[in-house]
Amino acid sequence: MKSVATRTSKGPANPMRILLIWTLVSGLLFGLAEFGAPLDDVFRVARNKFREHDASGQVVVVGIDSAAQQELGDWPWPADRYARMVEQLGNAGARNIYFDFPLNVSKDDVHLKLLASTMAKLDGKVHIAANFAPETAENEKTQLLPLPQLRNVTSLINTNVRTNGFNTVWTVPYSNRVAGIPVPSLASAVSDETGGAAEAFPIDYSINMDSLPYISAAQVLRSNASIPAVKNRDVVIGTNATGIGNRYAVPGNRPAASVFVSALAAETLLAQRPVQYGWWWPFAIALGVCALMLRVSRSRLVLGMLILLPICSIGLPLALESLGYFTSIMPATILMLGSMGHLAWRLHRQRYDERGMINEVSGQPNLNALRALGTDSQDGLIAARIHNYAEAATALPAAAEKELVDQIIMRLSLGNGGCKVYQGDEGIFMWLIPASSINNVGDQLAGLSAIFRSPANISGRLIDLGIAFGVDADPGRSIQSRMSSALLACQEAQNAGEHWRVYDPTKLEATEWRVTMLGELDAAIDNGEVWVAFQPKLDLLSGEICGAEALVRWTHPEKGPINPEEFITAAERHDRIEKLTEHVLNRAVQVASRLNRDGRKFDMAVNLSPRLIGHANLKPMVIQTLRRHGLAAERLILEITETAAMSSAEAAMQELRDLRSIGLQLSIDDYGTGFSTLDYLKRCPATELKIDRSFVRMLVSSRSDRIMVNSTIELAHSLGEEVVAEGVEDNETLQLLGQMGCDKAQGYLIARPMPYEALIDYLANYSSAKAA
């Protein structure tokens, strides 16, 4: 027989799924709401530092800096200085010239023609900015187009960018629309890389900004200027002095003028066309890895996370960005961090809990370890109990108890096929056996009993060990419940002098429910779980609803509706019926009193337990209830079963006469199921016979039932009693009863039992329907 001790618990599966959901939600929030963007930027700066490299040198920055302003005056400058700058750069062999800012040259500037002609001479090599100002309160953009004289001899570029909350430009559009015209960005024009108006690319800030070739505008404008550095290069002219132009935060570097950001963007596109992926791709990969790792042990999962985290947060993005692929990894990192942190905590808790799963004396796994296996085991559970364990342990030296336990477990393992044995207190031992072996458990336990007939030699002492076994073969319950059941079977075997017994689930379940039901019944009455339903009765002569029967119901908060026969029978058997009857009677009389206020004649029937017939408190209880609610006694019907009425002693029969004397009605319920004699019917002070549903149900199809019902109606009428037929469920039966002269009918055809509020609606609707 193979051991089942190696079974892996599936208990942590649900908590781990919950963990995955929580980390998934956190990661999604970091991605969708961009909570992780600042952290992502920090990681990106670190990666940029790691792969920092110099610019290609193709883009040369000409800055209108403080030195230029000291020599040539404050910026903005008149047209002749721009013309001179363009001429000098053209003569030096610049490949293309780009202005990073809009040329704010007045149309009245006397040198405007000079500037236009100078630019025209370079035959399309000059590119000037056509931008738009930020949106105004009216949500309109101010279009900053160059003068027509300049537009006609140059190409247009756009240098508008978006910044984040830290004034950093992370992406640059390939183009923007200005005055309805698509205008390429400066970087796009330099590199000849194009894209849609809504498409942007990330700037590669790993390019060392200080490696960009730089020339002051003052040097360019000197008459003897020598600027060989611009030959065959793309020149970007921009402001680079405090107080003029735009300045941005450069990640991993000092704040710089916008011209440097434009130059870095151009260098990015010159190197390669970068691809911007969203945060979804790494997040989906991380989610898949986390879900996959749930299938391995938690210690391996944490180890895998420890390896995966730096790879995914630093190594993988670093490699991708080197190839021109940019993405955001913080949502994925948050997912992995959350998973790893929680799992590490669970590992700590697991190790802590495992300390409580070992018996301190013997070092063997205890019953807590068995409980930890969870609730899904399909194996059989066996409990063994050494009757005289405490006596044997007391007679041995303290150090010898471990030897005693070792010998017990050795014998058990020898006879159970090597299954892992779990040690409890006071000589209790348990183990699981495969479900396929449960049919042969008798042979196994018989063999174990034979093994334990031989005394155990403990420290030179022969110790006789008495043992009994209990078996639980019901896998549909929790392991804790099954352990208790196996121990109960073990105790029963010991009490009966048997070697072993199998737990009987039906016997224990019935006992448990009877005990808890009786314990809960009184409280259920007080807190409203026990309530009264009302089933209307139909007067067959008038066609009116003439009354109702009060029926007790119990809606348990956990078990739902409880069968009335179940708890009524238990209450009668254990003398708990008086409070239940008083509760139903009080509610029934209260409802009947309300329904009889406006001249209506509405009878209310209440079932009377045989246990209460002849009870000293019955008559006072009925009288007090009638007085409390002001109901006339003739409107109350007490129903007693035929069998109960026949078995009543003369004293009890006198009690019925006393009840009848105060004016209420008495009904013999379930008539036909007993063996009433004519003499008994004459002596019983009943005013009504209620024919049992078993006869009414077969009235149409059974000739004998029709004869019995018809003769009962004639007999009751001859005794001056009315007849009620219960269990009427179809119109044909109702018509037959009317033809036979039956007085009243009750059943699902007329109405099902219903709460008081529904009864009020039913009576109102019934009256309206009949009037119509």
Side-chain angles (χ1 to χ4, degrees):
M1 186 184 302
K2 294 182 180 180
S3 172
V4 298
T6 57
R7 179 180 301 276
T8 300
S9 172
K10 297 182 181 178
N14 286 336
M16 292 184 76
R17 290 193 186 100
I18 293 172
L19 160 66
L20 189 59
I21 291 171
W22 275 110
T23 51
L24 173 63
V25 170
S26 301
L28 286 173
L29 284 175
F30 267 78
L32 294 173
E34 297 185 352
F35 290 159
L39 288 174
D40 235 329
D41 294 344
V42 171
F43 274 83
R44 188 172 299 168
V45 169
R47 295 194 299 270
N48 287 339
K49 285 293 184 183
F50 187 83
R51 62 185 192 91
E52 186 178 59
H53 59 281
D54 290 341
S56 68
Q58 178 61 36
V59 180
V60 179
V61 177
V62 173
I64 302 174
D65 49 23
S66 299
Q69 289 190 100
Q70 287 177 0
E71 287 188 25
L72 304 168
D74 292 337
W75 185 85
W77 291 338
D80 61 328
R81 291 184 186 160
Y82 295 130
R84 174 68 176 162
M85 189 182 299
V86 169
E87 183 181 21
Q88 291 283 75
L89 291 171
N91 293 337
R95 178 173 175 266
N96 286 291
I97 301 169
Y98 302 87
F99 281 87
D100 183 59
F101 54 86
L103 287 174
N104 297 322
V105 177
S106 172
K107 64 181 179 179
D108 299 325
D109 193 315
V110 296
H111 301 293
L112 178 59
K113 289 184 178 180
L114 173 64
L115 176 59
S117 64
T118 304
M119 290 179 170
K121 290 177 183 178
L122 293 181
D123 193 21
K125 292 184 177 181
V126 180
H127 304 257
I128 58 176
N131 288 2
F132 49 80
E135 296 177 356
T136 63
E138 291 76 22
N139 202 31
E140 295 181 354
K141 296 177 180 178
T142 302
Q143 310 299 320
L144 304 177
L145 288 172
L147 293 172
Q149 298 91 321
L150 302 180
R151 290 206 306 267
N152 294 335
V153 296
T154 61
S155 299
L156 297 182
I157 58 170
N158 178 261
T159 59
N160 285 109
V161 292
R162 288 186 178 273
T163 61
N164 63 10
F166 300 97
N167 196 37
T168 302
V169 180
W170 283 104
T171 59
V172 174
Y174 282 98
S175 65
N176 272 312
R177 297 189 71 87
V178 182
I181 304 171
V183 180
S185 66
L186 187 154
S188 180
V190 171
S191 63
D192 290 329
E193 291 284 352
T194 60
E199 187 178 356
F201 65 91
I203 301 176
D204 185 3
Y205 282 111
S206 67
I207 300 172
N208 185 359
M209 185 176 67
D210 293 333
S211 68
L212 290 169
Y214 178 79
I215 303 172
S216 172
Q219 181 182 347
V220 173
L221 291 172
R222 290 174 189 150
S223 58
N224 58 347
S226 176
I227 44 176
V230 302
K231 187 175 182 179
N232 296 324
R233 301 288 193 273
D234 293 293
V235 178
V236 182
I237 303 171
T239 59
N240 185 29
T242 304
I244 62 172
N246 294 322
R247 299 184 71 82
Y248 302 118
V250 177
N253 215 318
R254 62 191 180 280
S258 63
V259 66
F260 292 99
V261 173
S262 296
L264 288 174
E267 284 280 357
T268 300
L269 286 184
L270 285 171
Q272 58 189 341
R273 183 186 180 104
V275 179
Q276 176 76 40
Y277 290 108
W279 56 273
W280 281 102
W281 286 102
F283 185 83
I285 293 171
L287 180 62
V289 171
C290 289
L292 184 63
M293 294 296 282
L294 289 177
R295 299 181 178 275
V296 301
S297 68
R298 285 176 290 176
S299 58
R300 291 182 181 177
L301 177 55
V302 173
L303 179 61
M305 288 292 185
L306 286 171
I307 298 172
L308 195 63
L309 182 60
I311 292 175
C312 289
S313 59
I314 298 175
L316 184 60
L318 184 64
L320 290 175
E321 288 172 5
S322 299
L323 299 173
Y325 299 98
F326 291 79
T327 186
S328 299
I329 50 85
M330 192 47 57
T333 303
I334 292 300
L335 177 63
M336 290 186 291
L337 278 174
S339 301
M340 185 176 66
H342 192 83
L343 288 170
W345 177 81
R346 284 184 61 80
L347 272 177
H348 170 73
R349 285 299 304 269
Q350 180 188 15
R351 288 175 183 146
Y352 179 81
D353 292 341
E354 285 174 353
R355 296 177 187 173
M357 297 184 183
I358 300 297
N359 185 283
E360 294 181 357
V361 175
S362 65
Q364 297 291 334
N366 60 22
L367 298 187
N368 287 333
L370 179 59
R371 293 184 186 98
L373 293 180
T375 61
D376 61 341
S377 174
Q378 298 297 311
D379 299 323
L381 177 65
I382 299 180
R385 185 166 191 171
I386 307 297
H387 314 327
N388 58 335
Y389 180 87
E391 180 182 351
T394 303
L396 293 171
E401 185 175 356
K402 183 179 185 307
E403 185 180 352
L404 172 63
V405 173
D406 289 343
Q407 285 215 26
I408 293 173
I409 291 178
M410 181 185 67
R411 293 187 178 198
L412 292 174
S413 299
L414 179 64
N416 69 14
C419 295
K420 179 184 285 188
V421 178
Y422 300 86
Q423 179 189 357
D425 297 329
E426 301 298 325
I428 294 173
F429 300 86
M430 292 188 180
W431 65 92
L432 295 168
I433 64 170
S436 58
S437 303
I438 198 68
N439 293 331
N440 300 322
V441 70
D443 295 338
Q444 180 186 112
L445 298 182
L448 281 170
S449 297
I451 292 174
F452 275 87
R453 290 194 191 103
S454 301
N457 190 336
I458 311 296
S459 299
R461 302 182 185 184
L462 295 178
I463 305 294
D464 188 45
L465 299 174
I467 192 168
F469 303 94
V471 181
D472 179 278
D474 179 17
R477 296 173 296 121
S478 70
I479 192 71
Q480 179 62 49
S481 177
R482 297 184 65 197
M483 290 165 65
S484 300
S485 302
L487 281 174
L488 179 62
C490 185
Q491 186 64 46
E492 290 177 351
Q494 180 182 342
N495 294 340
E498 300 173 355
H499 293 306
W500 61 280
R501 270 198 181 182
V502 177
Y503 155 71
D504 181 2
T506 57
K507 176 182 175 182
L508 184 57
E509 287 173 3
T511 302
E512 288 175 349
W513 170 234
R514 283 198 301 271
V515 172
T516 57
M517 178 176 62
L518 291 172
E520 295 178 23
L521 183 57
D522 288 343
I525 294 172
D526 295 335
N527 63 28
E529 294 173 21
V530 175
W531 54 285
V532 180
F534 302 92
Q535 186 173 29
K537 294 180 182 178
L538 175 68
D539 189 310
L540 295 180
L541 183 61
S542 66
E544 298 284 350
I545 298 299
C546 59
E549 180 180 359
L551 301 167
V552 66
R553 296 289 185 265
W554 182 4
T555 304
H556 194 278
E558 296 177 359
K559 295 181 176 293
I562 306 299
N563 188 336
E565 290 186 6
E566 187 177 357
F567 66 85
I568 291 174
T569 303
E572 288 177 330
R573 187 180 297 116
H574 296 276
D575 294 327
R576 308 287 280 275
I577 195 63
E578 183 177 354
K579 181 175 180 178
L580 182 62
T581 302
E582 184 177 8
H583 173 72
V584 176
L585 179 66
N586 183 72
R587 179 59 174 162
V589 171
Q590 181 189 46
V591 169
S593 177
R594 293 175 183 173
L595 295 175
N596 281 280
R597 283 177 184 169
D598 298 327
R600 183 203 299 261
K601 291 185 178 180
F602 193 91
D603 295 338
M604 183 63 69
V606 177
N607 288 282
L608 186 63
S609 170
R611 292 271 183 172
L612 293 180
I613 298 176
H615 198 287
N617 293 334
L618 177 59
K619 183 176 179 180
M621 178 176 67
V622 173
I623 295 174
Q624 290 173 12
T625 304
L626 291 170
R627 288 176 180 173
R628 183 183 309 122
H629 298 291
L631 179 68
E634 60 267 22
R635 299 276 72 88
L636 176 64
I637 303 173
L638 294 181
E639 296 187 1
I640 57 173
T641 62
E642 179 186 13
T643 304
M646 288 181 60
S647 61
S648 299
E650 186 59 33
M653 187 68 73
Q654 184 59 46
E655 177 74 13
L656 295 178
R657 297 191 189 101
D658 290 344
L659 289 171
R660 182 72 185 88
S661 67
I662 63 177
L664 55 76
Q665 303 179 60
L666 290 176
S667 175
I668 298 179
D669 196 10
D670 300 335
Y671 183 79
T673 58
F675 301 94
S676 302
T677 63
L678 183 60
D679 177 66
Y680 166 76
L681 292 176
K682 288 172 59 179
R683 290 189 301 109
C684 182
T687 59
E688 178 182 279
L689 283 183
K690 198 167 187 181
I691 302 176
D692 186 68
R693 67 180 66 247
S694 61
F695 299 100
V696 176
R697 185 173 60 250
M698 303 297 294
L699 189 63
V700 175
S701 59
S702 172
R703 180 173 177 274
S704 60
D705 284 345
R706 284 198 300 274
I707 294 173
M708 186 272 179
V709 170
N710 190 60
S711 62
T712 299
I713 293 172
E714 291 178 353
L715 174 63
H717 286 169
S718 69
L719 295 173
E721 299 172 1
E722 292 188 330
V723 179
V724 178
E726 62 177 346
V728 179
E729 298 183 359
D730 58 82
N731 280 311
E732 193 173 356
T733 300
L734 187 66
Q735 291 174 4
L736 273 176
L737 289 169
Q739 293 170 7
M740 292 178 181
C742 184
D743 302 288
K744 300 172 185 177
Q746 176 183 348
Y748 285 175
L749 176 65
I750 299 155
R752 291 176 177 269
M754 62 189 73
Y756 168 68
E757 295 78 8
L759 176 65
I760 297 301
D761 293 339
Y762 172 82
L763 294 175
N765 294 336
Y766 187 88
S767 299
S768 300
K770 187 171 183 182

